[in-house]
Amino acid sequence: MTAALLVLAAMVLLWLVAHWMPVPKARQQALALMEQRPHFEGANAFDAVWLLDFDDVPDSARAALIAEDGRRIAAAARTPLGDAAADGGLEQVPRAALGRYPEVADMDVICSWGGGECLPQVRAAPDALAQSLQSQQALLARIAALSRYDHYQSPFVADARAPLPRWTLLQRSAAAHALAHVQGHSDAALAGICNDTRTGRMLMSRSDGLVPAMLGAGMVRGNVRLLAEVLAELPLDQPLPPACNGVFSRPAAAELSMCTAMRGEFQLVSSANLDQEHPLAFLVWDGRKFRAATAERLQGACLPAAAHALETDQPVRWPAPSPQSLWRLECAANAIGCILGDIAGPAYVGYTTRLQDAGASLRAAEALLWLRGYQQGPSAEALQAMPADLRGQARPLQLDAQGQRLKVALYGRPDRDEWLSLPLPASRLPD
């Protein structure tokens, strides 16, 4: 009996020590850094993106639908994780527009941002593609309209049960632009490519979440590749439409920062809500300490080292968090927080350089446009005559062995050797 009491007393003492341990200063600083919210200026694309996959939604109904979705997501966020798990897991909140408005018709993805060259795919079956695109016209108009917005910021409470917009629908416009070029409407094709690139730049640089930033980077890279394909088949003196003005220019280092996106990811990852009314919840859960530990894990993109790497175009990487032992003293009074912290701390190695690679793509596109205007045409001599800051130092632009393609190294994943390779302007014109 005495031994049992001594063990119990030791456990209580251990819990008390762990409970009253202050949050380490480094974690307090990380929490203050990651809790900063973005303040964007201009028009917010959220409403347009959120309802992108529904046809025939009148403008007068948009605000009410989104407000209803916001109330549903907020209600789900107030549901403790324990109750949600008991009800069968973290199911997504149903969207208010479902069943009220028709969803966009299905369509096979042609010309995906990360796939092979687009124009050969379109030329293989242009009539079939044209027929498929007939049901997509309203969607394509909504995608084109996104280029008029200035930023993307969600008004909803951050919660893992909130549904995501159907971001992949944005890829469908690439096939429409390629088909326009194949059918002889190259100006319309170029205008569409430039509008989509403008949207991609907005999403990757001025959005409040990791998913839209990554989708924006993919959208930029995919449209740069399609631009190069189209320009390779056009004369050097064919002007670009006004929609392309200022689109293909090297982004400033700050535009390639993942800091704002990772702050949004932090809000999502740290939104766990344990049932505070459970009589024993306080024994195993400390929400502030959980958020502080999560902030320390995710702050890499917001630290000075990341900003310096962007300025010098060196790959931005921060260490992947490794699972820590539950026998740490802090876990004696925050066991659930320690467990969730290890689950909610994935490796972001695959994401840390995607915005940088999108920036390299834009620099390559600017170089293609510069080469179009060079008096002697695109060539090795033209590349040497190119301004040094456009050619690049950390990742200099190169020509392939045949002198027909412009290449730039991609950082991608640390274990891969990747390149973006683009055909030179007018290189595919018939002799």
Side-chain angles (χ1 to χ4, degrees), residues 321-373:
S322 56
Q324 300 184 57
S325 171
L326 288 177
W327 295 104
R328 308 191 306 276
L329 177 59
E330 63 184 282
C331 296
N334 190 26
I336 299 298
C338 288
I339 293 171
L340 288 178
D342 286 339
I343 295 173
Y348 290 93
V349 172
Y351 301 107
T352 56
T353 56
R354 289 193 190 178
L355 268 62
Q356 286 182 285
D357 284 345
S361 301
L362 288 167
R363 178 164 62 89
E366 183 180 355
L368 290 180
L369 299 184
W370 188 92
L371 290 170
R372 290 184 90 223

Side-chain angles (χ1 to χ4, degrees), residues 251-293:
E255 293 182 66
L256 305 178
S257 172
M258 283 182 60
C259 181
T260 300
M262 290 304 296
R263 282 174 173 151
E265 180 74 357
F266 163 73
Q267 294 297 332
L268 179 63
V269 169
S270 65
S271 64
N273 175 25
L274 202 66
D275 187 355
Q276 298 297 305
E277 296 183 1
H278 193 285
L280 299 180
F282 74 98
L283 294 175
V284 295
W285 174 253
D286 188 316
R288 176 172 170 77
K289 288 182 178 178
F290 166 68
R291 284 177 62 83

Side-chain angles (χ1 to χ4, degrees), residues 233-255:
E233 298 184 355
L234 295 178
L236 294 176
D237 59 355
Q238 180 161 333
L240 269 63
C244 297
N245 292 342
V247 173
F248 296 104
S249 60
R250 286 155 288 167
E255 293 182 66

Side-chain angles (χ1 to χ4, degrees), residues 79-364:
T79 303
L81 291 179
D83 291 355
D87 291 340
L90 298 178
E91 295 186 3
Q92 283 193 343
V93 174
R95 296 173 63 187
L98 282 172
R100 302 185 192 180
Y101 299 97
E103 295 182 71
V104 172
D106 290 336
M107 175 184 165
D108 292 335
V109 176
I110 300 173
C111 302
S112 66
W113 297 328
E117 289 201 351
C118 180
L119 295 183
Q121 298 179 60
V122 171
R123 287 195 171 100
D127 294 338
L129 176 58
Q131 185 172 357
S132 297
L133 288 172
Q134 288 179 5
S135 65
Q136 308 291 310
Q137 294 305 305
L139 169 66
L140 295 175
R142 293 195 293 274
I143 293 174
L146 292 178
S147 65
R148 300 198 296 262
Y149 291 93
D150 302 295
H151 67 274
Y152 173 92
Q153 186 170 22
S154 172
F156 297 154
V157 174
D159 191 83
R161 288 156 287 202
L164 290 175
R166 284 187 62 188
W167 291 107
T168 55
L169 292 177
L170 294 174
Q171 294 190 96
R172 296 188 184 181
S173 60
H177 306 328
L179 181 63
H181 170 69
V182 167
Q183 292 177 334
H185 307 296
S186 298
D187 279 350
L190 288 169
I193 292 168
C194 293
N195 281 334
D196 282 0
T197 305
R198 193 183 299 276
T199 297
R201 293 190 70 157
M202 177 269 290
L203 289 172
M204 78 177 196
S205 300
R206 297 184 297 281
S207 60
D208 67 343
L210 183 61
V211 172
M214 294 301 101
L215 265 293
M219 195 172 189
V220 165
R221 286 180 56 181
N223 279 280
V224 165
R225 291 171 55 215
L226 182 54
L227 172 79
E229 288 185 63
V230 172
L231 293 182
E233 298 184 355
L234 295 178
L236 294 176
D237 59 355
Q238 180 161 333
L240 269 63
C244 297
N245 292 342
V247 173
F248 296 104
S249 60
R250 286 155 288 167
E255 293 182 66
L256 305 178
S257 172
M258 283 182 60
C259 181
T260 300
M262 290 304 296
R263 282 174 173 151
E265 180 74 357
F266 163 73
Q267 294 297 332
L268 179 63
V269 169
S270 65
S271 64
N273 175 25
L274 202 66
D275 187 355
Q276 298 297 305
E277 296 183 1
H278 193 285
L280 299 180
F282 74 98
L283 294 175
V284 295
W285 174 253
D286 188 316
R288 176 172 170 77
K289 288 182 178 178
F290 166 68
R291 284 177 62 83
T294 303
E296 188 177 45
R297 287 173 176 271
L298 303 186
Q299 67 174 336
C302 298
L303 295 176
H308 178 71
L310 291 175
E311 290 287 350
T312 56
D313 196 23
Q314 299 299 315
V316 175
R317 308 204 190 278
W318 56 87
S322 56
Q324 300 184 57
S325 171
L326 288 177
W327 295 104
R328 308 191 306 276
L329 177 59
E330 63 184 282
C331 296
N334 190 26
I336 299 298
C338 288
I339 293 171
L340 288 178
D342 286 339
I343 295 173
Y348 290 93
V349 172
Y351 301 107
T352 56
T353 56
R354 289 193 190 178
L355 268 62
Q356 286 182 285
D357 284 345
S361 301
L362 288 167
R363 178 164 62 89

